[in-house]
Amino acid sequence: MLPITIIFSLLFFAAFIFRCISFFSRLARKRKEGAFLQLSREGAANNLIFCSQEMLQNKVIGIDGIHRKILIVEKIKNKYNSSLISLNEVQNCKLVTKYKTSEPGNITQSENSKNLFAIELEFEFRNRAKTASIMFYDGLINSQRELLLLKAKAEYWSVMLSKMITRPVRVRA
């Protein structure tokens, strides 16, 4: 009699775990679909046609290569905020890595990656002293396992957007 109750309790527990996993995966899919739907709405309102999109922790980035604009939709406390960056106004786009402050000395590569605090893509504008940035990795939110993937994504976007920035040409006579 004892083994049957153990088997039934294990089956019940396995069914419970399966239901929890399916619930959380549906919840994540709805969150992702909602962010992309909001990106689509904001893009349509600004007459943008996205050639590339990227989903990060709580934001979606869409790039319109034809109109040379970047739309960032971020969800903060069940509300979507959007930002539009025109690449015609951007002077420079660079990848910025921030580290936790530690004691100076010989730091190995593995210790250096453990002290990494943030990776962000920073935009410097021609007409403004203020900069804008897109956070790809945040040591407080993202896990250490995501570091390599998010760093590769940030490097890809940095190269792609840097190539799209027009630099003024000066002619000497």
Side-chain angles (χ1 to χ4, degrees):
M1 187 83 174
L2 182 64
I4 292 173
T5 58
I6 292 173
I7 291 172
F8 278 124
S9 61
L10 287 175
L11 286 174
F12 179 73
F13 182 71
F16 175 74
I17 295 295
F18 179 73
R19 294 286 284 169
C20 288
I21 291 171
S22 64
F23 171 75
F24 286 118
S25 66
R26 260 187 274 133
L27 190 65
R29 186 174 55 237
K30 280 186 179 182
R31 190 189 92 208
K32 186 185 266 190
E33 287 174 0
F36 278 114
L37 184 62
Q38 187 65 28
L39 179 77
S40 177
R41 287 180 186 152
E42 291 287 332
N46 291 304
N47 295 324
L48 300 177
I49 302 166
F50 298 116
C51 61
S52 184
Q53 301 169 355
E54 186 72 53
M55 177 78 181
L56 296 174
Q57 183 73 19
N58 61 342
K59 67 184 80 145
V60 179
I61 304 167
I63 184 168
D64 181 355
I66 297 170
H67 297 105
R68 302 175 37 77
K69 294 189 179 184
I70 301 168
L71 181 64
I72 304 159
V73 174
E74 186 172 11
K75 186 173 184 178
I76 300 173
K77 295 184 180 178
N78 296 327
K79 184 179 177 185
Y80 290 102
N81 296 329
S82 64
S83 304
L84 187 64
I85 298 174
S86 175
L87 290 175
N88 294 329
E89 298 174 6
V90 174
Q91 177 180 347
N92 191 15
C93 172
K94 62 182 177 181
L95 191 62
V96 177
T97 54
K98 296 179 182 177
Y99 294 91
K100 296 176 191 173
T101 56
S102 61
E103 298 176 14
N106 295 334
I107 298 175
T108 64
Q109 182 66 26
S110 63
E111 290 174 355
N112 202 12
S113 67
K114 289 179 184 174
N115 288 331
L116 185 65
F117 183 69
I119 298 174
E120 57 187 32
L121 197 57
E122 187 175 87
F123 298 95
E124 296 174 4
F125 296 98
R126 297 181 204 280
N127 301 331
R128 293 186 261 166
K130 198 173 185 182
T131 62
S133 64
I134 301 172
M135 182 78 68
F136 277 82
Y137 175 80
D138 187 354
L140 298 175
I141 298 171
N142 301 106
S143 71
Q144 192 72 22
R145 289 180 275 152
E146 296 175 298
L147 176 62
L148 292 176
L149 175 67
L150 293 175
K151 187 175 182 179
K153 285 182 180 184
E155 289 172 351
Y156 167 77
W157 279 86
S158 174
V159 169
M160 190 168 112
L161 295 174
S162 293
K163 289 180 180 181
M164 294 181 69
I165 295 173
T166 57
R167 297 189 170 47
V169 178
R170 293 185 180 145
V171 179
R172 289 186 171 174

